[in-house]
Amino acid sequence: METLCSALVFPSFRIRTSAFSKCGIRASIAVEQQTSQTKVALLRIGTRGSPLALAQAYETRDKLMASHAELAEEGAIQIVIIKTTGDKILSQPLADIGGKGLFTKEIDEALINGDIDIAVHSMKDVPTYLPDKTILPCNLPREDVRDAFISLSAASLADLPSGSIVGTASLRRKSQILHRYPSLNVEENFRGNVQTRLRKLSEGIVQATLLALAGLKRLNMTENVTSILSIDDMLPAVAQGAIGIACRSNDDKMAEYLASLNHEETRLAVSCERAFLEKLEGSCRTPIAGYASRNEDGNCLFRGLVASPDGIRVLETSRIGPYAFEDTIKMGKDAGEELLSRAGPGFFSR
């Protein structure tokens, strides 16, 4: 159908799948699958099938092809789309159907079973524990971690009239919105891919939404952004903007490929944030935010936050220390222990 290849145009913004259209994706996958019948792929990349997930898989593929001549040959790399439980169940909030592992479980199983060779994930979807027989040794360079505000009627959250509805599936965003703007309402079962959420906004189901700027950049859809929230106004999710690539723990060849792509500064920052999340035993039921970055002195600056879903209670902390693996892990854990102590019993079981 022609509509699959063309952008959907709404009054004030433009929705498209990405720089490579849906038809381009499907055509590429069809070619890869056809090629794989005559030539066995050297490397199979497992990914979800959303436009953003495919953009991340293709970014990984392109980096591998640029770094390794044998992978640049036609048919050497195959993209394998895997539908996860989280993709299938869109009618309920994530917290009600099992949390973040819903977007990785089936891909991890395919990796362990040998159906794929590497798995490409959005790091904020990856649980703090990794399945047995897998490792995640590679993070690509991190994209912009900030959240984007998108609305057809207001320039910012502060400009929304009292009673306006903001759509977000994230309890982290919900709690921080309500903490600063208690007169707003939040529709928390606002799920679907980027294109679906923008369509719901254009239909007037909500008056505004927040999306990760990283995803919009990777899809070349930043023209839809109304404004960008600062880190001070909206602390990002743990590992937001980071891509992680996993392989089997006994697959030295794949580990070698991934080592050539790893961006160590991103890996250390994400490790700090995930240590914080692990200490808090965070899930989709608890609003948690965390961000580590290199400051102007070359040290690691970490900021962490936990909140009640209604935004009434927000606890924050920060740490500064050496930008080295053991130090960043220690900072994350220590910050988590502090907020656990300050929150008190019952805070995380609400």
Side-chain angles (χ1 to χ4, degrees):
M1 291 177 62
E2 184 180 348
T3 53
L4 287 174
C5 294
S6 58
L8 302 176
V9 182
F10 292 95
S12 298
F13 56 77
R14 186 174 172 87
I15 301 177
R16 63 173 181 245
T17 54
S18 66
F20 47 90
S21 68
K22 277 187 179 178
C23 286
I25 293 171
R26 290 175 178 173
S28 297
I29 292 168
V31 168
E32 288 174 5
Q33 291 174 341
Q34 187 176 24
T35 303
S36 69
Q37 294 175 5
T38 56
K39 178 179 179 180
V40 177
L42 297 177
L43 191 153
R44 297 160 298 168
I45 300 174
T47 175
R48 294 169 60 203
S50 72
L52 177 56
L54 286 169
Q56 295 177 164
Y58 274 72
E59 180 180 342
T60 302
R61 182 201 65 176
D62 292 346
K63 288 180 181 295
L64 285 166
M65 291 174 68
S67 301
H68 303 279
E70 70 273 22
L71 297 181
E73 296 181 10
E74 184 178 356
I77 298 179
Q78 180 185 4
I79 304 288
V80 180
I81 296 175
I82 299 167
K83 197 158 190 175
T84 67
T85 303
D87 296 315
K88 298 172 188 174
I89 305 175
L90 296 174
S91 59
Q92 302 173 56
L94 290 174
D96 293 346
I97 53 174
K100 289 188 178 179
L102 292 170
F103 290 114
T104 58
K105 181 173 179 288
E106 286 82 359
I107 299 174
D108 290 333
E109 289 173 349
L111 181 61
I112 293 168
N113 293 335
D115 298 323
I116 58 175
D117 300 302
I118 64 173
V120 178
H121 298 298
S122 292
M123 278 303 299
K124 69 177 183 178
D125 290 334
V126 178
T128 52
Y129 59 88
L130 295 177
D132 290 340
K133 302 179 181 179
T134 71
I135 55 174
L136 204 158
C138 175
N139 289 121
L140 299 186
R142 197 172 197 173
E143 242 309 349
D144 197 315
V145 303
R146 295 173 295 173
D147 283 307
F149 173 81
I150 304 175
S151 176
L152 299 175
S153 58
S156 66
L157 284 168
D159 291 335
L160 286 170
S162 177
S164 296
I165 302 173
V166 181
T168 176
S170 162
L171 290 182
R172 170 190 65 86
R173 291 182 179 125
K174 174 186 175 181
S175 63
Q176 292 185 76
I177 291 170
L178 294 178
H179 181 67
R180 291 178 174 81
Y181 307 101
S183 67
L184 298 178
N185 296 317
V186 175
E187 168 54 55
E188 63 182 72
N189 191 27
F190 195 73
R191 294 188 54 209
N193 62 33
V194 170
Q195 291 77 9
T196 299
R197 287 186 246 186
L198 291 179
R199 176 179 55 77
K200 290 179 180 179
L201 175 62
S202 74
E203 292 171 352
I205 296 173
V206 297
Q207 282 70 63
T209 189
L210 301 184
L211 295 173
L213 183 58
L216 294 170
K217 284 190 171 185
R218 289 187 176 119
L219 289 169
N220 291 323
M221 293 177 66
T222 54
E223 73 272 18
N224 295 306
V225 174
T226 305
S227 60
I228 299 172
L229 282 72
S230 71
I231 298 296
D232 291 332
D233 289 334
M234 181 65 63
L235 198 62
V238 164
Q240 184 156 307
I243 295 172
I245 312 174
C247 65
R248 288 180 293 276
S249 54
N250 64 353
D251 195 332
D252 294 339
K253 185 61 177 177
M254 293 303 137
E256 181 183 340
Y257 282 143
L258 297 186
S260 69
L261 302 190
N262 181 56
H263 187 252
E264 189 65 4
E265 183 170 329
T266 297
R267 189 181 78 90
L268 294 182
V270 168
S271 296
C272 178
E273 296 164 20
R274 283 168 58 82
F276 171 73
L277 183 67
E278 183 178 19
K279 180 56 66 173
L280 294 171
E281 298 182 349
S283 72
C284 284
R285 292 187 178 276
T286 307
I288 297 173
Y291 177 49
S293 61
R294 191 187 294 273
N295 66 12
E296 58 188 15
D297 297 322
N299 290 318
C300 181
L301 170 62
F302 173 75
R303 295 175 59 181
L305 173 155
V306 296
S308 58
D310 57 13
I312 291 175
R313 233 187 134 188
V314 174
L315 305 175
E316 299 182 71
T317 190
S318 63
R319 296 288 187 281
I320 295 178
Y323 212 104
F325 184 74
E326 290 185 2
D327 296 283
T328 57
I329 293 289
K330 184 178 184 300
M331 287 165 54
K333 289 182 176 179
D334 188 62
E337 287 172 355
E338 179 197 327
L339 292 189
L340 272 177
S341 175
R342 287 169 56 192
F347 186 88
F348 294 95
S349 60
R350 296 181 182 188

